[in-house]
Amino acid sequence: MAVARPRIFLFALNAQVSLVTGELLMVTGTLGRVQSPRIIRIGGAAKETAEVLEQLGLLRPLIITDAKVSNLHLSTLTDVLDGAGMVWGLFDQVVEDPTDVCVDAGLAALQSGDYDCVVDFGGGNPMETAKAVSFMSVNSEHVRDYKEPAQIDRCGVPIILIPTTGGTGSVLTRWCVITDTESPENYYLSGLACVATAAIIDWNFSLTKPARITANTAVDSLTHAIEAYVSRRAFPYTDAFAFALSAAQAGMAFPNASVALVHGMSRPIGAHFHVAHGLSNAMLLPTVTSFSVAAAPARYSACADYGHGRRWGYRCHRLRQIGRRITQPEHRSGGAVTESVGA
């Protein structure tokens, strides 16, 4: 079975180097550890999927997605695979807030054929499922037995992630989140086994998303950026990515600098009430930010500079306005749903 491990980089936060020889003389402080996919392609990259698979020596992918994405976009991917003569399989039964039962079904689909990798095609839910299916293919316990603080470093089949939404950042993280059907718990699963082998980021898919999804994922991206930047575990590498111009780049920041209280409270809301992740972030971000500013005023001030130098009191006020707008119920007219959030 093919196993493709991600890349690991270690960064010294304080290092002294000889100006004469370039020799590393001394390292103080902790090391920053960064994990990333071996291949990252950005742009109109979906058409390069077969090329990426061939580069990795992979020929028989299992596509993991949900029914909605399958109906809307699947042919965009399968036409590329068919053109390269690749034999692919499909598991399109991913559910919202994917559960241990969903993971078991995906694992059964993987084991039913001679597949050599999993290819996520969808938003956060298929990405979480594809990661869990991969590492469960070589780890024999129940998926809940691997929840944090355990680190899952035994990698399964290679994971190729092709996101169709922006926001989650999961395409570049070492985490996935699965819901337990025996208790209303969302558990974090973390380790090398959750890092994609390749990330194929094609923004064309996000252009057709409903306004509600666009707004929710935008707030998720903003929350990732703020929490990564003000985290006690932040370091220069993650700072550079925290306020980059895409969800994927912010996704390089928060798994390596960590997230904080917004995400800590947001996940239980999703587990108990099945609220969209970005929406629950929008509900929490203003209040948590107001609570946290005093603990890291310099960092929050730097974040505020991205808002044209406004004071944080004003920034929190604007976050509350955005949160109220995003959390408005969708209007229904004649049985149809009309979005209340502008794209």
Side-chain angles (χ1 to χ4, degrees), residues 265-316:
M265 297 175 67
S266 178
R267 287 298 184 183
I269 291 175
H272 284 273
F273 303 108
H274 301 289
V275 175
H277 181 57
L279 182 59
S280 59
N281 282 344
M283 296 160 57
L284 294 164
L285 182 59
T287 300
V288 171
T289 299
S290 296
F291 174 80
S292 303
V293 166
R299 287 256 154 182
Y300 277 105
S301 294
C303 292
D305 285 342
Y306 286 88
H308 307 291
R310 298 279 193 169
R311 293 173 60 88
W312 258 109
Y314 176 80
R315 290 289 100 202
C316 292

mmCIF file of all heavy atoms in Angstrom, residues 265-316:
data_model
loop_
_atom_site.group_PDB
_atom_site.id
_atom_site.type_symbol
_atom_site.label_atom_id
_atom_site.label_comp_id
_atom_site.label_asym_id
_atom_site.label_seq_id
_atom_site.Cartn_x
_atom_site.Cartn_y
_atom_site.Cartn_z
ATOM 1 N N MET A 265 -15.095 26.908 21.735
ATOM 2 C CA MET A 265 -16.526 26.966 22.038
ATOM 3 C C MET A 265 -17.386 26.648 20.820
ATOM 4 O O MET A 265 -18.524 26.187 20.953
ATOM 5 C CB MET A 265 -16.879 28.346 22.582
ATOM 6 C CG MET A 265 -16.212 28.696 23.896
ATOM 7 S SD MET A 265 -16.537 30.387 24.431
ATOM 8 C CE MET A 265 -18.310 30.290 24.765
ATOM 9 N N SER A 266 -16.853 26.907 19.640
ATOM 10 C CA SER A 266 -17.633 26.724 18.419
ATOM 11 C C SER A 266 -17.914 25.258 18.128
ATOM 12 O O SER A 266 -19.018 24.898 17.694
ATOM 13 C CB SER A 266 -16.882 27.358 17.243
ATOM 14 O OG SER A 266 -17.564 27.174 16.039
ATOM 15 N N ARG A 267 -16.927 24.399 18.364
ATOM 16 C CA ARG A 267 -17.108 22.982 18.052
ATOM 17 C C ARG A 267 -18.237 22.337 18.865
ATOM 18 O O ARG A 267 -19.046 21.589 18.310
ATOM 19 C CB ARG A 267 -15.792 22.229 18.249
ATOM 20 C CG ARG A 267 -14.757 22.520 17.173
ATOM 21 C CD ARG A 267 -15.239 22.096 15.800
ATOM 22 N NE ARG A 267 -14.226 22.278 14.765
ATOM 23 C CZ ARG A 267 -14.429 22.042 13.481
ATOM 24 N NH1 ARG A 267 -15.627 21.634 13.073
ATOM 25 N NH2 ARG A 267 -13.467 22.221 12.601
ATOM 26 N N PRO A 268 -18.340 22.575 20.179
ATOM 27 C CA PRO A 268 -19.482 22.003 20.909
ATOM 28 C C PRO A 268 -20.833 22.498 20.404
ATOM 29 O O PRO A 268 -21.814 21.740 20.398
ATOM 30 C CB PRO A 268 -19.227 22.458 22.357
ATOM 31 C CG PRO A 268 -17.764 22.668 22.433
ATOM 32 C CD PRO A 268 -17.355 23.189 21.095
ATOM 33 N N ILE A 269 -20.901 23.758 19.973
ATOM 34 C CA ILE A 269 -22.158 24.264 19.404
ATOM 35 C C ILE A 269 -22.521 23.468 18.160
ATOM 36 O O ILE A 269 -23.674 23.080 17.949
ATOM 37 C CB ILE A 269 -22.037 25.765 19.089
ATOM 38 C CG1 ILE A 269 -21.942 26.566 20.395
ATOM 39 C CG2 ILE A 269 -23.219 26.250 18.257
ATOM 40 C CD1 ILE A 269 -21.694 28.048 20.183
ATOM 41 N N GLY A 270 -21.523 23.218 17.328
ATOM 42 C CA GLY A 270 -21.787 22.409 16.135
ATOM 43 C C GLY A 270 -22.217 21.006 16.472
ATOM 44 O O GLY A 270 -23.123 20.446 15.841
ATOM 45 N N ALA A 271 -21.574 20.402 17.482
ATOM 46 C CA ALA A 271 -21.898 19.019 17.848
ATOM 47 C C ALA A 271 -23.314 18.898 18.408
ATOM 48 O O ALA A 271 -24.042 17.948 18.098
ATOM 49 C CB ALA A 271 -20.888 18.509 18.877
ATOM 50 N N HIS A 272 -23.727 19.850 19.243
ATOM 51 C CA HIS A 272 -25.026 19.763 19.904
ATOM 52 C C HIS A 272 -26.169 20.252 19.019
ATOM 53 O O HIS A 272 -27.268 19.697 19.045
ATOM 54 C CB HIS A 272 -25.007 20.580 21.197
ATOM 55 C CG HIS A 272 -24.271 19.910 22.318
ATOM 56 N ND1 HIS A 272 -24.878 19.012 23.175
ATOM 57 C CD2 HIS A 272 -22.978 19.993 22.712
ATOM 58 C CE1 HIS A 272 -23.985 18.577 24.061
ATOM 59 N NE2 HIS A 272 -22.825 19.155 23.803
ATOM 60 N N PHE A 273 -25.926 21.329 18.234
ATOM 61 C CA PHE A 273 -27.029 21.987 17.523
ATOM 62 C C PHE A 273 -26.866 21.962 16.008
ATOM 63 O O PHE A 273 -27.714 22.489 15.296
ATOM 64 C CB PHE A 273 -27.154 23.445 18.002
ATOM 65 C CG PHE A 273 -27.349 23.571 19.487
ATOM 66 C CD1 PHE A 273 -26.331 24.056 20.298
ATOM 67 C CD2 PHE A 273 -28.546 23.181 20.082
ATOM 68 C CE1 PHE A 273 -26.501 24.165 21.669
ATOM 69 C CE2 PHE A 273 -28.725 23.289 21.452
ATOM 70 C CZ PHE A 273 -27.703 23.781 22.244
ATOM 71 N N HIS A 274 -25.769 21.379 15.512
ATOM 72 C CA HIS A 274 -25.524 21.256 14.071
ATOM 73 C C HIS A 274 -25.584 22.611 13.369
ATOM 74 O O HIS A 274 -26.180 22.760 12.301
ATOM 75 C CB HIS A 274 -26.496 20.257 13.443
ATOM 76 C CG HIS A 274 -26.396 18.895 14.046
ATOM 77 N ND1 HIS A 274 -25.322 18.060 13.833
ATOM 78 C CD2 HIS A 274 -27.220 18.229 14.908
ATOM 79 C CE1 HIS A 274 -25.491 16.937 14.515
ATOM 80 N NE2 HIS A 274 -26.629 17.026 15.178
ATOM 81 N N VAL A 275 -24.976 23.604 14.015
ATOM 82 C CA VAL A 275 -24.838 24.933 13.437
ATOM 83 C C VAL A 275 -23.602 24.944 12.548
ATOM 84 O O VAL A 275 -22.562 24.386 12.917
ATOM 85 C CB VAL A 275 -24.696 25.997 14.549
ATOM 86 C CG1 VAL A 275 -24.433 27.376 13.956
ATOM 87 C CG2 VAL A 275 -25.941 26.008 15.418
ATOM 88 N N ALA A 276 -23.695 25.553 11.378
ATOM 89 C CA ALA A 276 -22.537 25.643 10.488
ATOM 90 C C ALA A 276 -21.360 26.264 11.231
ATOM 91 O O ALA A 276 -21.518 27.210 12.007
ATOM 92 C CB ALA A 276 -22.889 26.477 9.256
ATOM 93 N N HIS A 277 -20.174 25.733 10.991
ATOM 94 C CA HIS A 277 -18.998 26.122 11.765
ATOM 95 C C HIS A 277 -18.702 27.618 11.655
ATOM 96 O O HIS A 277 -18.455 28.301 12.661
ATOM 97 C CB HIS A 277 -17.792 25.306 11.295
ATOM 98 C CG HIS A 277 -16.532 25.599 12.034
ATOM 99 N ND1 HIS A 277 -16.418 25.470 13.404
ATOM 100 C CD2 HIS A 277 -15.321 26.047 11.595
ATOM 101 C CE1 HIS A 277 -15.196 25.805 13.782
ATOM 102 N NE2 HIS A 277 -14.514 26.159 12.703
ATOM 103 N N GLY A 278 -18.735 28.154 10.434
ATOM 104 C CA GLY A 278 -18.481 29.584 10.273
ATOM 105 C C GLY A 278 -19.528 30.436 10.954
ATOM 106 O O GLY A 278 -19.238 31.507 11.494
ATOM 107 N N LEU A 279 -20.773 29.962 10.964
ATOM 108 C CA LEU A 279 -21.857 30.691 11.610
ATOM 109 C C LEU A 279 -21.665 30.750 13.120
ATOM 110 O O LEU A 279 -21.839 31.802 13.746
ATOM 111 C CB LEU A 279 -23.195 30.026 11.275
ATOM 112 C CG LEU A 279 -24.466 30.684 11.823
ATOM 113 C CD1 LEU A 279 -24.592 32.115 11.317
ATOM 114 C CD2 LEU A 279 -25.692 29.867 11.420
ATOM 115 N N SER A 280 -21.279 29.621 13.730
ATOM 116 C CA SER A 280 -21.041 29.637 15.170
ATOM 117 C C SER A 280 -19.826 30.504 15.516
ATOM 118 O O SER A 280 -19.802 31.171 16.556
ATOM 119 C CB SER A 280 -20.867 28.213 15.714
ATOM 120 O OG SER A 280 -19.788 27.553 15.086
ATOM 121 N N ASN A 281 -18.825 30.539 14.639
ATOM 122 C CA ASN A 281 -17.703 31.454 14.848
ATOM 123 C C ASN A 281 -18.173 32.903 14.848
ATOM 124 O O ASN A 281 -17.720 33.726 15.664
ATOM 125 C CB ASN A 281 -16.642 31.268 13.758
ATOM 126 C CG ASN A 281 -15.780 30.046 13.982
ATOM 127 O OD1 ASN A 281 -15.754 29.483 15.062
ATOM 128 N ND2 ASN A 281 -15.078 29.642 12.943
ATOM 129 N N ALA A 282 -19.064 33.236 13.922
ATOM 130 C CA ALA A 282 -19.582 34.606 13.844
ATOM 131 C C ALA A 282 -20.325 34.992 15.115
ATOM 132 O O ALA A 282 -20.266 36.142 15.563
ATOM 133 C CB ALA A 282 -20.508 34.743 12.634
ATOM 134 N N MET A 283 -21.017 34.039 15.720
ATOM 135 C CA MET A 283 -21.731 34.292 16.963
ATOM 136 C C MET A 283 -20.776 34.587 18.119
ATOM 137 O O MET A 283 -21.072 35.394 19.003
ATOM 138 C CB MET A 283 -22.606 33.090 17.307
ATOM 139 C CG MET A 283 -23.719 32.828 16.306
ATOM 140 S SD MET A 283 -24.356 31.128 16.383
ATOM 141 C CE MET A 283 -24.864 31.007 18.093
ATOM 142 N N LEU A 284 -19.617 33.941 18.115
ATOM 143 C CA LEU A 284 -18.707 33.988 19.263
ATOM 144 C C LEU A 284 -17.582 35.007 19.136
ATOM 145 O O LEU A 284 -17.090 35.524 20.141
ATOM 146 C CB LEU A 284 -18.077 32.597 19.459
ATOM 147 C CG LEU A 284 -19.031 31.476 19.858
ATOM 148 C CD1 LEU A 284 -18.369 30.119 19.635
ATOM 149 C CD2 LEU A 284 -19.443 31.632 21.324
ATOM 150 N N LEU A 285 -17.138 35.283 17.920
ATOM 151 C CA LEU A 285 -15.921 36.059 17.714
ATOM 152 C C LEU A 285 -15.944 37.438 18.384
ATOM 153 O O LEU A 285 -14.959 37.819 19.036
ATOM 154 C CB LEU A 285 -15.628 36.195 16.217
ATOM 155 C CG LEU A 285 -14.350 36.946 15.835
ATOM 156 C CD1 LEU A 285 -13.118 36.287 16.428
ATOM 157 C CD2 LEU A 285 -14.229 37.022 14.306
ATOM 158 N N PRO A 286 -17.010 38.243 18.277
ATOM 159 C CA PRO A 286 -16.970 39.576 18.901
ATOM 160 C C PRO A 286 -16.794 39.519 20.413
ATOM 161 O O PRO A 286 -15.972 40.252 20.982
ATOM 162 C CB PRO A 286 -18.324 40.188 18.516
ATOM 163 C CG PRO A 286 -18.756 39.434 17.307
ATOM 164 C CD PRO A 286 -18.254 38.035 17.506
ATOM 165 N N THR A 287 -17.552 38.661 21.083
ATOM 166 C CA THR A 287 -17.489 38.595 22.541
ATOM 167 C C THR A 287 -16.150 38.037 23.019
ATOM 168 O O THR A 287 -15.539 38.552 23.959
ATOM 169 C CB THR A 287 -18.644 37.736 23.084
ATOM 170 O OG1 THR A 287 -19.885 38.317 22.682
ATOM 171 C CG2 THR A 287 -18.599 37.658 24.603
ATOM 172 N N VAL A 288 -15.677 36.977 22.374
ATOM 173 C CA VAL A 288 -14.395 36.399 22.761
ATOM 174 C C VAL A 288 -13.262 37.393 22.520
ATOM 175 O O VAL A 288 -12.332 37.520 23.322
ATOM 176 C CB VAL A 288 -14.137 35.079 22.005
ATOM 177 C CG1 VAL A 288 -12.715 34.592 22.245
ATOM 178 C CG2 VAL A 288 -15.139 34.022 22.438
ATOM 179 N N THR A 289 -13.344 38.135 21.423
ATOM 180 C CA THR A 289 -12.323 39.133 21.135
ATOM 181 C C THR A 289 -12.291 40.207 22.214
ATOM 182 O O THR A 289 -11.228 40.579 22.715
ATOM 183 C CB THR A 289 -12.564 39.767 19.756
ATOM 184 O OG1 THR A 289 -12.492 38.751 18.750
ATOM 185 C CG2 THR A 289 -11.512 40.828 19.453
ATOM 186 N N SER A 290 -13.461 40.722 22.603
ATOM 187 C CA SER A 290 -13.523 41.728 23.664
ATOM 188 C C SER A 290 -12.917 41.198 24.961
ATOM 189 O O SER A 290 -12.200 41.909 25.677
ATOM 190 C CB SER A 290 -14.977 42.149 23.902
ATOM 191 O OG SER A 290 -15.512 42.786 22.774
ATOM 192 N N PHE A 291 -13.195 39.934 25.257
ATOM 193 C CA PHE A 291 -12.676 39.309 26.471
ATOM 194 C C PHE A 291 -11.155 39.149 26.428
ATOM 195 O O PHE A 291 -10.473 39.268 27.446
ATOM 196 C CB PHE A 291 -13.346 37.942 26.647
ATOM 197 C CG PHE A 291 -12.801 37.116 27.774
ATOM 198 C CD1 PHE A 291 -13.195 37.344 29.088
ATOM 199 C CD2 PHE A 291 -11.888 36.094 27.534
ATOM 200 C CE1 PHE A 291 -12.688 36.583 30.131
ATOM 201 C CE2 PHE A 291 -11.379 35.324 28.566
ATOM 202 C CZ PHE A 291 -11.780 35.572 29.869
ATOM 203 N N SER A 292 -10.610 38.904 25.238
ATOM 204 C CA SER A 292 -9.207 38.498 25.115
ATOM 205 C C SER A 292 -8.240 39.640 24.847
ATOM 206 O O SER A 292 -7.029 39.456 24.986
ATOM 207 C CB SER A 292 -9.074 37.464 23.978
ATOM 208 O OG SER A 292 -9.907 36.350 24.203
ATOM 209 N N VAL A 293 -8.721 40.805 24.434
ATOM 210 C CA VAL A 293 -7.828 41.882 24.000
ATOM 211 C C VAL A 293 -6.786 42.227 25.057
ATOM 212 O O VAL A 293 -5.602 42.416 24.752
ATOM 213 C CB VAL A 293 -8.648 43.137 23.629
ATOM 214 C CG1 VAL A 293 -7.743 44.360 23.511
ATOM 215 C CG2 VAL A 293 -9.370 42.917 22.310
ATOM 216 N N ALA A 294 -7.186 42.280 26.313
ATOM 217 C CA ALA A 294 -6.263 42.702 27.362
ATOM 218 C C ALA A 294 -5.085 41.745 27.537
ATOM 219 O O ALA A 294 -4.025 42.145 28.015
ATOM 220 C CB ALA A 294 -7.012 42.838 28.689
ATOM 221 N N ALA A 295 -5.251 40.484 27.135
ATOM 222 C CA ALA A 295 -4.190 39.491 27.312
ATOM 223 C C ALA A 295 -3.106 39.604 26.246
ATOM 224 O O ALA A 295 -1.981 39.129 26.453
ATOM 225 C CB ALA A 295 -4.775 38.084 27.305
ATOM 226 N N ALA A 296 -3.411 40.215 25.111
ATOM 227 C CA ALA A 296 -2.416 40.346 24.033
ATOM 228 C C ALA A 296 -2.659 41.643 23.278
ATOM 229 O O ALA A 296 -2.944 41.640 22.080
ATOM 230 C CB ALA A 296 -2.494 39.152 23.087
ATOM 231 N N PRO A 297 -2.552 42.791 23.970
ATOM 232 C CA PRO A 297 -2.916 44.059 23.326
ATOM 233 C C PRO A 297 -2.077 44.394 22.102
ATOM 234 O O PRO A 297 -2.608 44.921 21.118
ATOM 235 C CB PRO A 297 -2.702 45.093 24.454
ATOM 236 C CG PRO A 297 -1.796 44.426 25.441
ATOM 237 C CD PRO A 297 -2.109 42.966 25.369
ATOM 238 N N ALA A 298 -0.783 44.095 22.128
ATOM 239 C CA ALA A 298 0.060 44.416 20.974
ATOM 240 C C ALA A 298 -0.352 43.609 19.750
ATOM 241 O O ALA A 298 -0.401 44.131 18.628
ATOM 242 C CB ALA A 298 1.526 44.153 21.308
ATOM 243 N N ARG A 299 -0.650 42.351 19.974
ATOM 244 C CA ARG A 299 -1.045 41.486 18.857
ATOM 245 C C ARG A 299 -2.402 41.914 18.289
ATOM 246 O O ARG A 299 -2.595 41.975 17.076
ATOM 247 C CB ARG A 299 -1.095 40.036 19.321
ATOM 248 C CG ARG A 299 0.298 39.457 19.539
ATOM 249 C CD ARG A 299 0.652 38.532 18.389
ATOM 250 N NE ARG A 299 2.083 38.438 18.206
ATOM 251 C CZ ARG A 299 2.652 37.729 17.248
ATOM 252 N NH1 ARG A 299 1.897 37.051 16.402
ATOM 253 N NH2 ARG A 299 3.945 37.683 17.104
ATOM 254 N N TYR A 300 -3.345 42.197 19.173
ATOM 255 C CA TYR A 300 -4.657 42.635 18.690
ATOM 256 C C TYR A 300 -4.564 43.996 18.007
ATOM 257 O O TYR A 300 -5.293 44.261 17.032
ATOM 258 C CB TYR A 300 -5.665 42.666 19.832
ATOM 259 C CG TYR A 300 -6.291 41.320 20.125
ATOM 260 C CD1 TYR A 300 -5.926 40.578 21.239
ATOM 261 C CD2 TYR A 300 -7.257 40.785 19.275
ATOM 262 C CE1 TYR A 300 -6.493 39.334 21.503
ATOM 263 C CE2 TYR A 300 -7.831 39.554 19.530
ATOM 264 C CZ TYR A 300 -7.452 38.833 20.642
ATOM 265 O OH TYR A 300 -8.016 37.602 20.891
ATOM 266 N N SER A 301 -3.679 44.859 18.486
ATOM 267 C CA SER A 301 -3.485 46.149 17.829
ATOM 268 C C SER A 301 -2.960 45.961 16.411
ATOM 269 O O SER A 301 -3.358 46.660 15.485
ATOM 270 C CB SER A 301 -2.502 47.009 18.634
ATOM 271 O OG SER A 301 -3.054 47.352 19.883
ATOM 272 N N ALA A 302 -2.058 44.980 16.256
ATOM 273 C CA ALA A 302 -1.548 44.690 14.913
ATOM 274 C C ALA A 302 -2.665 44.183 14.013
ATOM 275 O O ALA A 302 -2.739 44.536 12.831
ATOM 276 C CB ALA A 302 -0.418 43.663 14.991
ATOM 277 N N CYS A 303 -3.537 43.346 14.560
ATOM 278 C CA CYS A 303 -4.700 42.892 13.781
ATOM 279 C C CYS A 303 -5.567 44.072 13.379
ATOM 280 O O CYS A 303 -6.061 44.147 12.249
ATOM 281 C CB CYS A 303 -5.541 41.906 14.597
ATOM 282 S SG CYS A 303 -4.754 40.326 14.933
ATOM 283 N N ALA A 304 -5.765 45.020 14.303
ATOM 284 C CA ALA A 304 -6.604 46.178 14.018
ATOM 285 C C ALA A 304 -6.029 47.030 12.905
ATOM 286 O O ALA A 304 -6.769 47.691 12.178
ATOM 287 C CB ALA A 304 -6.780 47.013 15.283
ATOM 288 N N ASP A 305 -4.711 47.014 12.738
ATOM 289 C CA ASP A 305 -4.102 47.801 11.663
ATOM 290 C C ASP A 305 -4.580 47.347 10.297
ATOM 291 O O ASP A 305 -4.578 48.119 9.346
ATOM 292 C CB ASP A 305 -2.570 47.708 11.728
ATOM 293 C CG ASP A 305 -1.995 48.542 12.856
ATOM 294 O OD1 ASP A 305 -2.705 49.438 13.350
ATOM 295 O OD2 ASP A 305 -0.842 48.285 13.254
ATOM 296 N N TYR A 306 -4.983 46.065 10.205
ATOM 297 C CA TYR A 306 -5.552 45.577 8.948
ATOM 298 C C TYR A 306 -6.924 46.183 8.710
ATOM 299 O O TYR A 306 -7.469 46.083 7.637
ATOM 300 C CB TYR A 306 -5.627 44.056 8.940
ATOM 301 C CG TYR A 306 -4.273 43.415 8.764
ATOM 302 C CD1 TYR A 306 -3.471 43.127 9.871
ATOM 303 C CD2 TYR A 306 -3.786 43.125 7.502
ATOM 304 C CE1 TYR A 306 -2.221 42.556 9.717
ATOM 305 C CE2 TYR A 306 -2.532 42.554 7.331
ATOM 306 C CZ TYR A 306 -1.758 42.271 8.445
ATOM 307 O OH TYR A 306 -0.514 41.709 8.292
ATOM 308 N N GLY A 307 -7.493 46.785 9.750
ATOM 309 C CA GLY A 307 -8.780 47.470 9.630
ATOM 310 C C GLY A 307 -8.585 48.970 9.570
ATOM 311 O O GLY A 307 -9.340 49.722 10.171
ATOM 312 N N HIS A 308 -7.526 49.445 8.929
ATOM 313 C CA HIS A 308 -7.242 50.857 8.712
ATOM 314 C C HIS A 308 -6.975 51.598 10.024
ATOM 315 O O HIS A 308 -7.340 52.752 10.189
ATOM 316 C CB HIS A 308 -8.389 51.536 7.952
ATOM 317 C CG HIS A 308 -8.748 50.828 6.682
ATOM 318 N ND1 HIS A 308 -7.918 50.801 5.582
ATOM 319 C CD2 HIS A 308 -9.840 50.075 6.359
ATOM 320 C CE1 HIS A 308 -8.492 50.093 4.621
ATOM 321 N NE2 HIS A 308 -9.643 49.641 5.073
ATOM 322 N N GLY A 309 -6.327 50.895 10.977
ATOM 323 C CA GLY A 309 -5.862 51.549 12.176
ATOM 324 C C GLY A 309 -6.934 51.877 13.197
ATOM 325 O O GLY A 309 -6.684 52.623 14.138
ATOM 326 N N ARG A 310 -8.123 51.354 13.044
ATOM 327 C CA ARG A 310 -9.185 51.642 14.005
ATOM 328 C C ARG A 310 -8.859 51.027 15.361
ATOM 329 O O ARG A 310 -8.190 49.997 15.453
ATOM 330 C CB ARG A 310 -10.510 51.060 13.501
ATOM 331 C CG ARG A 310 -10.977 51.662 12.179
ATOM 332 C CD ARG A 310 -11.668 52.986 12.385
ATOM 333 N NE ARG A 310 -12.379 53.404 11.186
ATOM 334 C CZ ARG A 310 -13.242 54.409 11.152
ATOM 335 N NH1 ARG A 310 -13.508 55.082 12.247
ATOM 336 N NH2 ARG A 310 -13.842 54.729 10.028
ATOM 337 N N ARG A 311 -9.373 51.632 16.434
ATOM 338 C CA ARG A 311 -9.197 51.073 17.764
ATOM 339 C C ARG A 311 -9.988 49.779 17.881
ATOM 340 O O ARG A 311 -10.976 49.568 17.186
ATOM 341 C CB ARG A 311 -9.660 52.073 18.836
ATOM 342 C CG ARG A 311 -8.794 53.322 18.910
ATOM 343 C CD ARG A 311 -9.412 54.334 19.864
ATOM 344 N NE ARG A 311 -9.527 53.791 21.200
ATOM 345 C CZ ARG A 311 -8.569 53.856 22.107
ATOM 346 N NH1 ARG A 311 -7.429 54.461 21.808
ATOM 347 N NH2 ARG A 311 -8.745 53.349 23.312
ATOM 348 N N TRP A 312 -9.568 48.911 18.824
ATOM 349 C CA TRP A 312 -10.219 47.611 18.935
ATOM 350 C C TRP A 312 -11.658 47.702 19.403
ATOM 351 O O TRP A 312 -12.477 46.847 19.092
ATOM 352 C CB TRP A 312 -9.417 46.681 19.846
ATOM 353 C CG TRP A 312 -8.647 45.723 19.010
ATOM 354 C CD1 TRP A 312 -7.310 45.702 18.817
ATOM 355 C CD2 TRP A 312 -9.181 44.687 18.192
ATOM 356 N NE1 TRP A 312 -6.966 44.709 17.926
ATOM 357 C CE2 TRP A 312 -8.095 44.071 17.530
ATOM 358 C CE3 TRP A 312 -10.463 44.220 17.937
ATOM 359 C CZ2 TRP A 312 -8.246 43.015 16.647
ATOM 360 C CZ3 TRP A 312 -10.623 43.154 17.050
ATOM 361 C CH2 TRP A 312 -9.527 42.568 16.418
ATOM 362 N N GLY A 313 -11.998 48.752 20.137
ATOM 363 C CA GLY A 313 -13.404 48.919 20.505
ATOM 364 C C GLY A 313 -14.273 49.031 19.269
ATOM 365 O O GLY A 313 -15.350 48.417 19.182
ATOM 366 N N TYR A 314 -13.803 49.803 18.302
ATOM 367 C CA TYR A 314 -14.542 49.940 17.051
ATOM 368 C C TYR A 314 -14.521 48.630 16.273
ATOM 369 O O TYR A 314 -15.534 48.220 15.692
ATOM 370 C CB TYR A 314 -13.930 51.046 16.204
ATOM 371 C CG TYR A 314 -14.575 51.184 14.840
ATOM 372 C CD1 TYR A 314 -15.782 51.853 14.688
ATOM 373 C CD2 TYR A 314 -13.982 50.629 13.702
ATOM 374 C CE1 TYR A 314 -16.385 51.967 13.445
ATOM 375 C CE2 TYR A 314 -14.564 50.730 12.465
ATOM 376 C CZ TYR A 314 -15.768 51.404 12.336
ATOM 377 O OH TYR A 314 -16.366 51.501 11.109
ATOM 378 N N ARG A 315 -13.360 47.965 16.261
ATOM 379 C CA ARG A 315 -13.268 46.689 15.543
ATOM 380 C C ARG A 315 -14.261 45.676 16.100
ATOM 381 O O ARG A 315 -14.935 44.966 15.352
ATOM 382 C CB ARG A 315 -11.854 46.116 15.675
ATOM 383 C CG ARG A 315 -10.764 46.847 14.934
ATOM 384 C CD ARG A 315 -10.869 46.646 13.430
ATOM 385 N NE ARG A 315 -11.485 47.778 12.784
ATOM 386 C CZ ARG A 315 -12.068 47.756 11.610
ATOM 387 N NH1 ARG A 315 -12.159 46.638 10.943
ATOM 388 N NH2 ARG A 315 -12.590 48.826 11.084
ATOM 389 N N CYS A 316 -14.375 45.576 17.426
ATOM 390 C CA CYS A 316 -15.307 44.633 18.042
ATOM 391 C C CYS A 316 -16.741 45.000 17.703
ATOM 392 O O CYS A 316 -17.588 44.133 17.483
ATOM 393 C CB CYS A 316 -15.104 44.580 19.556
ATOM 394 S SG CYS A 316 -13.526 43.855 20.051
#
